[in-house]
Each structure stands twice: as structure tokens, then as C-alpha cells.
Amino acid sequence: MSHKQVVAVLWIVLVILTLGGSLLGETTEPGYVLMLLITLTMAFKGRMVVDHFMELKNAHPLIRRLMQGYFYILPLATATTYLLSNAQL
Amino acid sequence: MTSAYCNQLPPAGHIPGNRGMWAGILCEMTEFAVLFTVYFTARVFFPQEFRSGPGNLNLLAGTLNTLWMISGSYFVVNAVIAIRQNRPVLSVRFLYLVLASAVAYMVTKYLEFEWNVAHGVTAGNGAFFTVYYYLTLTHMVHVFWGMIGLGWIIFRTHDDAYSPTEHEGMESFASYWHATDLVWLIIFPLLYLLR
């Protein structure tokens, strides 16, 4: 697959994930499963954009790790605070 | 991904664009990291507000804006690929598509804020809505800066300023635009989906 084809496929995947996420958010009962799906999707989308749209897959490791790190830390923080806030209800 | 695919990407160790732009991008990511920390802290202290808040927002507007941002990123990477293939006319066409995505984002945001006002969704309604306006308005400002940069890149590409061997300016803009897209990919689930 060429780079152009990879980004085209990824664009379609990201659009499907966005529409699917919205549909789930609208129709599914809120809970831990939904939260997990949302955070995993967030992490996946971010990593795909960083590696293939931003073209950091081969890039300087420091830059790539910093950008990828964002999409480990943020989903983890999202899940943690969701659990903490639910515990208070 | 295969090594053949990796060979089509810039060489190993390459930094897209210039270091100055990367300093700016990391500042932007840090700024939003602080705002996300505010979101997380407020979520812990006001759990009920954050649980019910997303239900009061316009999910269609949030979804559309996510599609505009993702599409803008897709078009900008195609503009960079086109310039590497020495096809400036095609590159400019993709840059105009990026501009169309950005304008669509701005129009959607305007309509969303109008809808909010009509439905009584204001910043004074509680912690969730304060955080919502802080995050979305700050992101909007970053998109606006990007649009100014995009105008410059379109002008330079029209002017044949970029070539397959020298297109650092376009790569710099592309990196900034992707970073702005990345921020939205976090904002969207936090504010619109996580009920």
C-alpha cells in the first residue's frame, strides 16, 4: 500500500469511528463499557493521526514519543477521573 | 505497516517542518494539557454536572466538527504528498479543501453557539459548561491561527515556493494543523460523549 492509500483508508476508518462513537454515545446506556470504548477509540485515533497523518512513524524518537505519550496519558486520565467521579455519586 | 510503506515516509529521524514550529506545537499541547487537567479536576469535584452536562450539548455539531477536523488533516497530508510528487496544482487544490474544512468548522461552531444560547446553555450554568466554553473557544482560536497560516501557505504554493526537495514551510503548517486536530480528538469525547 502506498502512503496515499494508507491515509485514505485511515480517513475512512476515522470517519466510521467518529460516527460509531456518536451513535454509541447517543443510544447506549452510560457506564464503564461505554467509557472504555470511548477512551480506547480516543487513544487509537490519536495514534493513527500522529503516525500516519503527521508522519511521525519514522520521525525523531523524542518528538514521536512526546506526541504518542499524549494518547497514553490522556485516555488513562479520562478513565481514572471517570471512575473517581462515579465513586462520589 | 511494511518496510515498503515506511520507505515512502520521510527518512528515519526526520522532524517534519522546522524546530521553531515544534516548539510552538509542544506549547500548544502543554496549554491544552493544563486545560484538560482543569476538566479532570472539575469532573472529580462536580461529578453530577459532568454526568448530565453532555446531554445538554448538540452532539450533531460536535460530530460534524470532528469530521471537519479529521478531513482537514487528511487533505493537508495529501497536499504535502502532492508537493513531494512535484504536483503544486494538486497540492493547492488540497489546501483549498483544508480551507473549506476550516470554514465548515467555524460555521458549525457559530451555529452550535447560537443553538446553545437558544437552549439556555451558557457558561454560567455550572462547572461543566464553563469548562466546555473554555476548551472549545480556546480550540477555535487555534483553528483561526491555523487559517491565517493556511492562507500564507496557499499563497506560497501558488507562488511555486515549494518543491519536492524543499517544502519545510508546508510541513510546518501541516504539523500545526494535525496538532490542532489531535486536540479536538480529545475534546470531542470528553465533552460530548462521556456521560
Side-chain angles (χ1 to χ4, degrees), chain B residues 30 42 73 77 80 108 120 148 157-158 192:
Chain B
T30 305
S73 259
V77 73
V80 174
T108 306
I148 294 170
T157 312
H158 267 302
Y192 294 86

Side-chain angles (χ1 to χ4, degrees), chain B residues 16 41 58-59 62-63 68 83 96 110 121 125 128 137 154 158 174 176-177 193-194:
Chain B
T41 308
N58 190 317
L59 181 59
T63 306
W68 303 140
I83 212 75
Y96 277 120
Y110 173 77
V121 177
N125 283 11
F128 174 81
L137 286 169
I154 289 172
H158 267 302
Y176 175 85
W177 197 259
L193 299 179
L194 213 61

Side-chain angles (χ1 to χ4, degrees), chain A residues 2-4 6 8 11 18 22 25-26 38 46 52-55 58-60 70 77-78 81-82 85 88-89, chain B residues 5-6 8 12-14 29 33 40 43-44 47-48 51 59 63 70-71 74 77-78 84 175 178 188-189 194-195:
Chain A
S2 70
H3 184 203
K4 205 172 166 65
V6 167
W11 180 44
T18 300
S22 295
E26 187 74 358
I38 287 168
H52 304 289
F53 283 17
M54 221 171 188
E55 300 182 323
N58 279 350
H60 193 285
Y70 218 80
T78 303
T81 51
Y82 185 88
S85 66
Q88 296 197 46
L89 289 169
Chain B
Y5 167 72
C6 287
Q8 295 173 51
H14 172 77
M29 299 309 272
F40 293 133
R43 186 172 188 107
V44 171
Q48 196 52 57
R51 198 172 198 181
L59 181 59
T63 306
I70 287 169
S71 299
Y74 170 68
V77 73
N78 273 290
R84 283 195 197 125
S175 298
H178 294 309
F188 174 60
L194 213 61
R195 295 165 194 233

Side-chain angles (χ1 to χ4, degrees), chain B residues 87-94 157:
Chain B
R87 299 169 76 187
V89 174
L90 180 64
S91 185
V92 165
R93 282 183 194 154
F94 275 116
T157 312

